[in-house]
Amino acid sequence: MSIALPTKRNPIRALPISVINRIAAGEVIERPASVVKELLENSVDAGATKIEIAIENGGIDLIRICDNGCGIPRDELMLAVTSHATSKITDADELFRVGTFGFRGEALASIAEISQFTMRSRIEAADCGYELIVNGGIAEEIDVCGMPAGTIIEIRHLFYNTPVRRKFMRTAQTERGHVAEAFTRVALANPDIHWTLVHNGQIQYDLPPVDDWTQRISDFFGVEIAAGLIPIENSAEEVHLSGYVVDPAVNRANNRLQYLFLNGRYIRDRSLQHALSESYRGLLMTGRYPIVFLKMQMPPQLVDVNVHPAKLEVRFRDGGKLYSQLLGSIRNKFLSTDLTAKAGLNPPERLIQSPERRGLEDSGRPTGNDRPFQLQTPDSRSQERLAFPHLPPARDWTQAPSPHFQPGGPGTIPEFQPFPSFGNPAAPQSDSGKPISVDHVDHGQVRPPDRGARPLALQVHNTYLISETEEGMVVIDQHALHERIIYEQLREKVLGKKLESQKLLVPEPVTLPPADAGIVLEHAELLQQLGIEIEPFGGDTVLVSAYPAMLANQNPAEMLRSIVDLLMDEGRQVDQRDLVDALLHMISCKAAVKAGDRLTPEEIGELLEYRNYCQDSHHCPHGRPTALLFSREELDKRFKRI
Ligand code: ADP
Ligand code: MG
């Protein structure tokens, strides 16, 4: 079948202004957060020292920004919403040395085309302000209004006249997350400005100006990240690099916490992200990403910011040099930093509190806090690793149920022990030829076996278990096997809807990066299938109110964060079953003993025992083998016995 060609040629016409604006809007304004970004940047360009932004319903219903910047005189108000009209450049040469965020003069025109737009502005010298209303690109008469010097812009019903775009908007929660992220990027880069973000009448952030950038980082990302900041400072010719990288012990499953600012502008750059990964090479597990906050300052001629409509990507004149500078500075810094000591000696006080203490303290809304809505729960991820970055503590599988758990109803006991312990680990008996005894390796020393019991598994390098079987000898990867066992148990329970979830005695508040809270709440139902119940708690905090009994030994906050990371990466998958499966894999991987964990004889005994019950004991959920078998015959051959 061929495509019909037009029989008649249409004449070329210049497009009407409204169409031009709509096309521009299509490029620059993807969602409410894009509007927020443009408005915040305009206010910074206007020299404001106080910028307040309020949104309703994720910005879908209303975005309102108020600044104390230079304002716009009456006779320029109309120009401000006219496309390709700007006060920031005058000729093409200036394109290559722009010092402002804006210069295209398209943002306000595009936004006013696809919303109900009101702008009020007053310059210092004027007696009053002036108001301009534009509805779907159609401007009304300018009116006077009373207001202090500065600019107030209100955008209602974004995309009301572009239904296709409106359909692409996600839930208010998700849009709110994107707005918070846009806010974070601009507010982080400008700590000398007083920033406020309000959502549905609730203050999410109220951040007075600070001299110390670490304070602003802490405001957004919490104490654990702030405590791990390692300063970086380096100048090479005209390029100045400054800011912080985070101790490798604190890391993430994606690169979203890599904040790079070029001349004050947040950017994403693949090559520089690669340089970051390279600089952490050997310090992070595969699949983990460093966290960084870095400012690059260079003469504007050395970079072209006019390559991306939202200016998120830029083109460097000498990208290779910048790559080397970034990599070299961080590497050098690590060489001169004792990372182990830094992470281990002085964890901030709150991080070493016991879980129940934390739970109690964080259970109510914070008091005595001058920023009441910035709930910052310490990120308890790697609490253990912070204390002993390279030596996870031995696990006590038989420990009492976590203090997070309420005793269940009468007669119920929390079900979880990663696998039920043997009543008497020293004397399990079996006549089936299956492993009948536990090993006798303890703290690296072989204990004399109990009379009659043979050591059937030996832990080597705290990673592998070597055991005798009927056919020969098996070498087991302890993590891979444990992961498989947990995965199968969890999957069976989830599919059979038998996963026991327990209400937490003290719901655990978890503060997430700005964009994430929305994503998690959107997946609340899915998480419920996995026994994890969450509820909104205001701001970027969610409350974990119930948690699978089986995972009692796992910190709910840490688990939730890992789930978010996975949802952000895989959440777009259409097939729910795949997503559930991916979550189960991730959860089992986290809950399993790690390579390097020393196991007690009881634990080794349990692993071997449960190996027999696995449907597929030969592969971990990721498909790696859990065990290698050496047959008796093969051993005999190799040793030239036969
Ligand atoms: P650009 O920022 O690329 O110039 P915009 O459409 O975003 O284009 O803004 C158009 C013009 O309106 C700007 O050049 C600036 O002069 C003026 N303007 C916009 N927002 C503000 C503000 N908050 N305070 C003062 N002037 C503003
Ligand atoms: Mg602008």
mmCIF file of all heavy atoms in Angstrom, residues 134-165:
data_model
loop_
_atom_site.group_PDB
_atom_site.id
_atom_site.type_symbol
_atom_site.label_atom_id
_atom_site.label_comp_id
_atom_site.label_asym_id
_atom_site.label_seq_id
_atom_site.Cartn_x
_atom_site.Cartn_y
_atom_site.Cartn_z
ATOM 1 N N VAL A 134 -3.969 37.260 30.306
ATOM 2 C CA VAL A 134 -3.979 36.629 28.982
ATOM 3 C C VAL A 134 -4.673 35.273 29.117
ATOM 4 O O VAL A 134 -4.275 34.459 29.945
ATOM 5 C CB VAL A 134 -2.545 36.399 28.445
ATOM 6 C CG1 VAL A 134 -2.596 35.925 26.997
ATOM 7 C CG2 VAL A 134 -1.690 37.637 28.582
ATOM 8 N N ASN A 135 -5.712 35.054 28.315
ATOM 9 C CA ASN A 135 -6.417 33.769 28.362
ATOM 10 C C ASN A 135 -6.206 33.030 27.064
ATOM 11 O O ASN A 135 -6.652 33.489 26.014
ATOM 12 C CB ASN A 135 -7.918 33.991 28.561
ATOM 13 C CG ASN A 135 -8.246 34.129 30.032
ATOM 14 O OD1 ASN A 135 -7.654 33.426 30.856
ATOM 15 N ND2 ASN A 135 -9.159 35.031 30.349
ATOM 16 N N GLY A 136 -5.523 31.914 27.132
ATOM 17 C CA GLY A 136 -5.295 31.141 25.906
ATOM 18 C C GLY A 136 -4.703 31.992 24.806
ATOM 19 O O GLY A 136 -5.089 31.878 23.643
ATOM 20 N N GLY A 137 -3.781 32.870 25.154
ATOM 21 C CA GLY A 137 -3.079 33.671 24.154
ATOM 22 C C GLY A 137 -3.770 34.983 23.820
ATOM 23 O O GLY A 137 -3.235 35.790 23.068
ATOM 24 N N ILE A 138 -4.964 35.209 24.387
ATOM 25 C CA ILE A 138 -5.669 36.458 24.071
ATOM 26 C C ILE A 138 -5.573 37.423 25.250
ATOM 27 O O ILE A 138 -6.044 37.126 26.353
ATOM 28 C CB ILE A 138 -7.138 36.168 23.718
ATOM 29 C CG1 ILE A 138 -7.133 35.243 22.489
ATOM 30 C CG2 ILE A 138 -7.909 37.457 23.449
ATOM 31 C CD1 ILE A 138 -8.470 34.682 22.140
ATOM 32 N N ALA A 139 -4.894 38.548 24.995
ATOM 33 C CA ALA A 139 -4.597 39.484 26.081
ATOM 34 C C ALA A 139 -5.750 40.446 26.311
ATOM 35 O O ALA A 139 -6.437 40.846 25.380
ATOM 36 C CB ALA A 139 -3.337 40.259 25.754
ATOM 37 N N GLU A 140 -5.948 40.800 27.580
ATOM 38 C CA GLU A 140 -6.936 41.824 27.910
ATOM 39 C C GLU A 140 -6.215 43.149 28.137
ATOM 40 O O GLU A 140 -4.998 43.211 28.106
ATOM 41 C CB GLU A 140 -7.713 41.407 29.168
ATOM 42 C CG GLU A 140 -8.543 40.164 28.910
ATOM 43 C CD GLU A 140 -9.298 39.693 30.149
ATOM 44 O OE1 GLU A 140 -9.290 40.417 31.174
ATOM 45 O OE2 GLU A 140 -9.882 38.600 30.077
ATOM 46 N N GLU A 141 -7.006 44.185 28.396
ATOM 47 C CA GLU A 141 -6.440 45.506 28.682
ATOM 48 C C GLU A 141 -5.596 45.477 29.949
ATOM 49 O O GLU A 141 -5.947 44.777 30.905
ATOM 50 C CB GLU A 141 -7.586 46.509 28.915
ATOM 51 C CG GLU A 141 -8.409 46.812 27.698
ATOM 52 C CD GLU A 141 -7.741 47.847 26.811
ATOM 53 O OE1 GLU A 141 -7.399 48.919 27.332
ATOM 54 O OE2 GLU A 141 -7.538 47.539 25.609
ATOM 55 N N ILE A 142 -4.517 46.268 29.956
ATOM 56 C CA ILE A 142 -3.708 46.366 31.176
ATOM 57 C C ILE A 142 -4.439 47.231 32.210
ATOM 58 O O ILE A 142 -5.031 48.245 31.861
ATOM 59 C CB ILE A 142 -2.329 46.955 30.847
ATOM 60 C CG1 ILE A 142 -1.552 45.952 29.986
ATOM 61 C CG2 ILE A 142 -1.550 47.291 32.123
ATOM 62 C CD1 ILE A 142 -0.221 46.426 29.516
ATOM 63 N N ASP A 143 -4.391 46.814 33.451
ATOM 64 C CA ASP A 143 -5.102 47.505 34.526
ATOM 65 C C ASP A 143 -4.113 47.884 35.621
ATOM 66 O O ASP A 143 -3.054 47.273 35.725
ATOM 67 C CB ASP A 143 -6.149 46.539 35.104
ATOM 68 C CG ASP A 143 -7.432 47.269 35.439
ATOM 69 O OD1 ASP A 143 -7.380 48.513 35.512
ATOM 70 O OD2 ASP A 143 -8.454 46.573 35.654
ATOM 71 N N VAL A 144 -4.463 48.844 36.462
ATOM 72 C CA VAL A 144 -3.570 49.156 37.589
ATOM 73 C C VAL A 144 -3.894 48.225 38.757
ATOM 74 O O VAL A 144 -4.991 47.689 38.854
ATOM 75 C CB VAL A 144 -3.718 50.624 38.082
ATOM 76 C CG1 VAL A 144 -3.240 51.586 37.017
ATOM 77 C CG2 VAL A 144 -5.146 50.902 38.501
ATOM 78 N N CYS A 145 -2.922 48.032 39.634
ATOM 79 C CA CYS A 145 -3.178 47.257 40.848
ATOM 80 C C CYS A 145 -2.190 47.681 41.926
ATOM 81 O O CYS A 145 -1.122 48.212 41.625
ATOM 82 C CB CYS A 145 -3.063 45.755 40.574
ATOM 83 S SG CYS A 145 -1.427 45.225 40.090
ATOM 84 N N GLY A 146 -2.577 47.472 43.176
ATOM 85 C CA GLY A 146 -1.671 47.820 44.270
ATOM 86 C C GLY A 146 -0.806 46.630 44.623
ATOM 87 O O GLY A 146 -1.305 45.507 44.718
ATOM 88 N N MET A 147 0.490 46.854 44.764
ATOM 89 C CA MET A 147 1.390 45.751 45.143
ATOM 90 C C MET A 147 2.778 46.293 45.448
ATOM 91 O O MET A 147 3.123 47.396 45.045
ATOM 92 C CB MET A 147 1.486 44.728 43.995
ATOM 93 C CG MET A 147 2.092 45.293 42.720
ATOM 94 S SD MET A 147 2.225 44.069 41.404
ATOM 95 C CE MET A 147 3.528 43.032 41.999
ATOM 96 N N PRO A 148 3.588 45.552 46.206
ATOM 97 C CA PRO A 148 4.967 45.986 46.424
ATOM 98 C C PRO A 148 5.786 45.756 45.152
ATOM 99 O O PRO A 148 5.323 45.079 44.232
ATOM 100 C CB PRO A 148 5.454 45.065 47.547
ATOM 101 C CG PRO A 148 4.585 43.866 47.485
ATOM 102 C CD PRO A 148 3.280 44.293 46.894
ATOM 103 N N ALA A 149 6.998 46.326 45.112
ATOM 104 C CA ALA A 149 7.844 46.143 43.927
ATOM 105 C C ALA A 149 8.138 44.663 43.725
ATOM 106 O O ALA A 149 8.392 43.931 44.679
ATOM 107 C CB ALA A 149 9.137 46.934 44.085
ATOM 108 N N GLY A 150 8.074 44.256 42.462
ATOM 109 C CA GLY A 150 8.331 42.847 42.154
ATOM 110 C C GLY A 150 7.311 42.337 41.158
ATOM 111 O O GLY A 150 6.610 43.131 40.514
ATOM 112 N N THR A 151 7.208 41.046 41.057
ATOM 113 C CA THR A 151 6.325 40.447 40.054
ATOM 114 C C THR A 151 5.556 39.275 40.653
ATOM 115 O O THR A 151 6.112 38.493 41.423
ATOM 116 C CB THR A 151 7.160 39.950 38.845
ATOM 117 O OG1 THR A 151 7.911 41.043 38.327
ATOM 118 C CG2 THR A 151 6.276 39.380 37.748
ATOM 119 N N ILE A 152 4.272 39.207 40.310
ATOM 120 C CA ILE A 152 3.449 38.070 40.741
ATOM 121 C C ILE A 152 2.814 37.475 39.485
ATOM 122 O O ILE A 152 2.160 38.191 38.726
ATOM 123 C CB ILE A 152 2.331 38.528 41.697
ATOM 124 C CG1 ILE A 152 2.931 39.224 42.918
ATOM 125 C CG2 ILE A 152 1.467 37.345 42.109
ATOM 126 C CD1 ILE A 152 1.884 39.917 43.781
ATOM 127 N N ILE A 153 3.039 36.213 39.257
ATOM 128 C CA ILE A 153 2.441 35.575 38.082
ATOM 129 C C ILE A 153 1.579 34.399 38.536
ATOM 130 O O ILE A 153 1.995 33.625 39.398
ATOM 131 C CB ILE A 153 3.530 35.097 37.098
ATOM 132 C CG1 ILE A 153 4.308 36.299 36.564
ATOM 133 C CG2 ILE A 153 2.925 34.306 35.940
ATOM 134 C CD1 ILE A 153 5.456 35.953 35.632
ATOM 135 N N GLU A 154 0.373 34.326 37.974
ATOM 136 C CA GLU A 154 -0.520 33.210 38.300
ATOM 137 C C GLU A 154 -0.899 32.476 37.030
ATOM 138 O O GLU A 154 -1.308 33.100 36.047
ATOM 139 C CB GLU A 154 -1.808 33.729 38.945
ATOM 140 C CG GLU A 154 -1.689 33.936 40.425
ATOM 141 C CD GLU A 154 -2.969 34.518 41.014
ATOM 142 O OE1 GLU A 154 -4.028 34.422 40.355
ATOM 143 O OE2 GLU A 154 -2.879 35.065 42.115
ATOM 144 N N ILE A 155 -0.731 31.174 37.065
ATOM 145 C CA ILE A 155 -1.107 30.361 35.909
ATOM 146 C C ILE A 155 -2.152 29.357 36.346
ATOM 147 O O ILE A 155 -1.896 28.514 37.205
ATOM 148 C CB ILE A 155 0.129 29.656 35.330
ATOM 149 C CG1 ILE A 155 0.962 30.693 34.588
ATOM 150 C CG2 ILE A 155 -0.246 28.550 34.370
ATOM 151 C CD1 ILE A 155 2.362 30.688 34.946
ATOM 152 N N ARG A 156 -3.333 29.495 35.775
ATOM 153 C CA ARG A 156 -4.402 28.559 36.132
ATOM 154 C C ARG A 156 -4.685 27.638 34.962
ATOM 155 O O ARG A 156 -4.592 28.039 33.805
ATOM 156 C CB ARG A 156 -5.682 29.327 36.473
ATOM 157 C CG ARG A 156 -5.581 30.010 37.801
ATOM 158 C CD ARG A 156 -6.829 30.799 38.148
ATOM 159 N NE ARG A 156 -6.490 31.673 39.260
ATOM 160 C CZ ARG A 156 -6.482 31.295 40.534
ATOM 161 N NH1 ARG A 156 -6.832 30.062 40.852
ATOM 162 N NH2 ARG A 156 -6.126 32.134 41.477
ATOM 163 N N HIS A 157 -5.047 26.402 35.298
ATOM 164 C CA HIS A 157 -5.532 25.443 34.297
ATOM 165 C C HIS A 157 -4.605 25.297 33.113
ATOM 166 O O HIS A 157 -5.003 25.499 31.968
ATOM 167 C CB HIS A 157 -6.950 25.828 33.844
ATOM 168 C CG HIS A 157 -7.862 26.011 35.010
ATOM 169 N ND1 HIS A 157 -8.664 27.104 35.166
ATOM 170 C CD2 HIS A 157 -8.052 25.246 36.114
ATOM 171 C CE1 HIS A 157 -9.338 27.003 36.306
ATOM 172 N NE2 HIS A 157 -8.969 25.879 36.903
ATOM 173 N N LEU A 158 -3.389 24.960 33.415
ATOM 174 C CA LEU A 158 -2.407 24.714 32.362
ATOM 175 C C LEU A 158 -2.939 23.648 31.400
ATOM 176 O O LEU A 158 -3.539 22.663 31.839
ATOM 177 C CB LEU A 158 -1.102 24.235 33.019
ATOM 178 C CG LEU A 158 0.087 24.039 32.104
ATOM 179 C CD1 LEU A 158 0.561 25.361 31.536
ATOM 180 C CD2 LEU A 158 1.215 23.336 32.840
ATOM 181 N N PHE A 159 -2.702 23.849 30.121
ATOM 182 C CA PHE A 159 -3.111 22.905 29.054
ATOM 183 C C PHE A 159 -4.635 22.830 28.897
ATOM 184 O O PHE A 159 -5.132 21.903 28.273
ATOM 185 C CB PHE A 159 -2.596 21.468 29.329
ATOM 186 C CG PHE A 159 -1.100 21.356 29.434
ATOM 187 C CD1 PHE A 159 -0.512 20.636 30.473
ATOM 188 C CD2 PHE A 159 -0.266 21.949 28.496
ATOM 189 C CE1 PHE A 159 0.871 20.510 30.575
ATOM 190 C CE2 PHE A 159 1.121 21.824 28.588
ATOM 191 C CZ PHE A 159 1.687 21.107 29.622
ATOM 192 N N TYR A 160 -5.378 23.817 29.447
ATOM 193 C CA TYR A 160 -6.841 23.695 29.366
ATOM 194 C C TYR A 160 -7.314 23.694 27.911
ATOM 195 O O TYR A 160 -8.331 23.111 27.579
ATOM 196 C CB TYR A 160 -7.533 24.814 30.165
ATOM 197 C CG TYR A 160 -7.651 26.125 29.437
ATOM 198 C CD1 TYR A 160 -8.873 26.552 28.912
ATOM 199 C CD2 TYR A 160 -6.539 26.947 29.270
ATOM 200 C CE1 TYR A 160 -8.974 27.756 28.242
ATOM 201 C CE2 TYR A 160 -6.632 28.143 28.602
ATOM 202 C CZ TYR A 160 -7.844 28.550 28.077
ATOM 203 O OH TYR A 160 -7.945 29.729 27.410
ATOM 204 N N ASN A 161 -6.516 24.358 27.036
ATOM 205 C CA ASN A 161 -6.922 24.395 25.625
ATOM 206 C C ASN A 161 -6.055 23.497 24.738
ATOM 207 O O ASN A 161 -6.053 23.622 23.532
ATOM 208 C CB ASN A 161 -6.901 25.841 25.121
ATOM 209 C CG ASN A 161 -5.548 26.501 25.363
ATOM 210 O OD1 ASN A 161 -4.672 25.908 26.003
ATOM 211 N ND2 ASN A 161 -5.371 27.710 24.861
ATOM 212 N N THR A 162 -5.259 22.619 25.368
ATOM 213 C CA THR A 162 -4.491 21.639 24.583
ATOM 214 C C THR A 162 -4.733 20.252 25.183
ATOM 215 O O THR A 162 -3.906 19.735 25.926
ATOM 216 C CB THR A 162 -2.974 21.943 24.625
ATOM 217 O OG1 THR A 162 -2.594 22.051 25.995
ATOM 218 C CG2 THR A 162 -2.616 23.193 23.899
ATOM 219 N N PRO A 163 -5.898 19.669 24.857
ATOM 220 C CA PRO A 163 -6.324 18.429 25.537
ATOM 221 C C PRO A 163 -5.324 17.283 25.397
ATOM 222 O O PRO A 163 -5.196 16.472 26.311
ATOM 223 C CB PRO A 163 -7.644 18.075 24.854
ATOM 224 C CG PRO A 163 -7.856 19.049 23.758
ATOM 225 C CD PRO A 163 -6.865 20.144 23.865
ATOM 226 N N VAL A 164 -4.606 17.240 24.278
ATOM 227 C CA VAL A 164 -3.681 16.126 24.097
ATOM 228 C C VAL A 164 -2.591 16.184 25.161
ATOM 229 O O VAL A 164 -2.266 15.198 25.822
ATOM 230 C CB VAL A 164 -3.065 16.158 22.685
ATOM 231 C CG1 VAL A 164 -2.068 15.028 22.525
ATOM 232 C CG2 VAL A 164 -4.160 16.048 21.636
ATOM 233 N N ARG A 165 -2.039 17.394 25.337
ATOM 234 C CA ARG A 165 -1.015 17.563 26.354
ATOM 235 C C ARG A 165 -1.550 17.236 27.756
ATOM 236 O O ARG A 165 -0.892 16.634 28.587
ATOM 237 C CB ARG A 165 -0.541 19.028 26.367
ATOM 238 C CG ARG A 165 0.865 19.235 25.855
ATOM 239 C CD ARG A 165 1.876 18.447 26.630
ATOM 240 N NE ARG A 165 2.921 17.891 25.781
ATOM 241 C CZ ARG A 165 3.968 18.557 25.355
ATOM 242 N NH1 ARG A 165 4.130 19.808 25.671
ATOM 243 N NH2 ARG A 165 4.853 17.973 24.585
#
